[in-house]
Amino acid sequence: MEQLLDVAIIGGGPAGLNAALVLGRARKNVIVIDEGLPRNRVTHESHGFLTRDGIKPDAFRQIAVEQIGAYPSVRFVADIAAETTGTDGDFSIVTKKGHTYRAKKLLFAVGKKDRLPEIEGLTDVYGKSAFVCPYCDGWELRDRELAVIVKGEHILHFAKTILGWSDRITLFTNGPHELTDAQREELRVRNIPLHDAPIRRIVSEDGMVNRVELEDGSSIPCTGIFFAPTLVAGSDLPQALGCEQTPTGSVATTSPLGKSSVPGVFVAGDIATEMNQLIQAAAMGAMAGAGINAELLAEAWEARGQIAQG
């Protein structure tokens, strides 16, 4: 029978890695199962993380794994968790490669994935001159002519946010704009152009965008793009275990320590929040690691008391 580990962490991004660090230092036996395909792998640099601003995503992970390597109770497995079953105290994880692991506690740090709009040419510029988060990449595109591709209720919010980095923005809804007359007037009086014709293609050279072509024949120059992707959970395993979800598709938590609605199951990082920041995910991983350790210590305390009395 497989060894019963203390914790299985599914996902090796900043949330999973920081949880592994906390738990490794707490002398817990941990396995980190990760496929090695982080959401930010298309970006050249990561930003907003104190002491690591501008670091390449691969370098960030390499440093983290090296530092966690100082704690021998943490093991990394390059695999994908395909199935999870069990209850608090004895969960079973079966991987895509056919391996089975058992753990007292589960931490899902599976993140979310960007589902890009189906626009010709967008994948050519994604991560080079087209981005989803101005807090991550707005500085690099400051004061440029920016195309902002967004629709629905987030149009005005996204426009207001991008204006913090450049006042030369043009909005594209890639179809019906879904704005009220009052909202359109807000944009008009601020001289923010709005195009609701479908986008034919994005024209670029070596990953650098130079214009957006529309189906109505318009061609609008730009040197950068921000767009709103559709975010999907990195795994449906939390839902399969019964974890409650929020209306936006995140896993609901019952405490700041990342507890889900299922006993023994914790979540951290992008899967548990709408604030998708590297440093936020790492902080949530640290909190979840501490929460898991606290539960394990409390259970060990109770078990010790029962042995002493028995």
Side-chain angles (χ1 to χ4, degrees), residues 151-221:
K151 65 190 312 177
E153 60 184 13
H154 301 296
I155 293 176
L156 286 184
H157 170 74
F158 210 34
K160 293 173 186 177
T161 302
I162 302 300
L163 283 172
W165 285 268
S166 176
D167 59 5
R168 303 160 66 195
I169 70 171
T170 300
L171 299 181
F172 299 85
T173 59
N174 193 29
H177 55 71
E178 303 174 15
L179 286 172
T180 65
D181 289 342
Q183 290 171 327
R184 285 189 67 110
E185 181 64 11
E186 283 194 59
L187 296 174
R188 188 194 66 78
V189 299
R190 291 165 176 80
N191 298 312
I192 300 174
L194 172 68
H195 296 272
D196 58 10
I199 297 173
R200 176 182 298 163
R201 63 170 181 157
I202 292 170
V203 181
S204 64
E205 183 175 349
D206 296 327
M208 298 295 109
V209 61
N210 57 60
R211 68 182 185 277
V212 176
E213 293 184 353
L214 304 180
E215 291 290 353
D216 65 7
S218 303
S219 181
I220 296 89

Side-chain angles (χ1 to χ4, degrees), residues 9-208:
I9 298 175
I10 301 175
L17 291 170
N18 218 358
L21 177 61
V22 170
L23 290 163
R25 288 182 55 80
R27 305 181 68 187
K28 296 300 180 285
N29 290 314
V30 179
I31 189 166
V32 181
I33 303 170
D34 182 58
E35 63 178 328
L37 295 174
R39 180 184 175 193
N40 66 351
R41 66 187 181 276
V42 301
T43 62
H44 295 289
E45 296 179 344
S46 297
H47 295 280
F49 199 117
L50 194 63
T51 78
R52 290 291 181 265
D53 192 57
I55 193 171
K56 296 183 181 303
D58 286 347
F60 181 92
R61 176 181 170 81
Q62 181 179 351
I63 293 170
V65 171
E66 287 176 354
Q67 292 183 346
I68 295 169
Y71 307 99
S73 64
V74 180
R75 180 160 58 106
F76 289 88
V77 173
D79 206 341
I80 298 174
E83 180 183 357
T84 53
T85 55
T87 56
D88 190 12
D90 193 351
F91 291 101
S92 179
I93 305 98
V94 179
T95 71
K96 189 174 182 180
K97 294 180 180 178
H99 302 293
T100 300
Y101 303 95
R102 295 171 59 224
K104 298 175 185 176
K105 307 290 179 183
L106 277 181
L107 171 61
F108 287 105
V110 294
K112 291 176 182 171
K113 297 183 183 296
D114 295 323
R115 183 178 294 166
L116 275 61
E118 294 184 2
I119 299 172
E120 181 182 344
L122 182 57
T123 56
D124 297 332
V125 296
Y126 179 42
K128 299 173 183 175
S129 58
F131 304 95
V132 300
C133 175
Y135 287 97
C136 300
D137 300 289
W139 173 261
E140 283 67 35
L141 298 187
R142 64 193 183 279
D143 297 327
R144 293 194 189 183
E145 289 183 290
L146 300 180
V148 180
I149 304 173
V150 62
K151 65 190 312 177
E153 60 184 13
H154 301 296
I155 293 176
L156 286 184
H157 170 74
F158 210 34
K160 293 173 186 177
T161 302
I162 302 300
L163 283 172
W165 285 268
S166 176
D167 59 5
R168 303 160 66 195
I169 70 171
T170 300
L171 299 181
F172 299 85
T173 59
N174 193 29
H177 55 71
E178 303 174 15
L179 286 172
T180 65
D181 289 342
Q183 290 171 327
R184 285 189 67 110
E185 181 64 11
E186 283 194 59
L187 296 174
R188 188 194 66 78
V189 299
R190 291 165 176 80
N191 298 312
I192 300 174
L194 172 68
H195 296 272
D196 58 10
I199 297 173
R200 176 182 298 163
R201 63 170 181 157
I202 292 170
V203 181
S204 64
E205 183 175 349
D206 296 327
M208 298 295 109

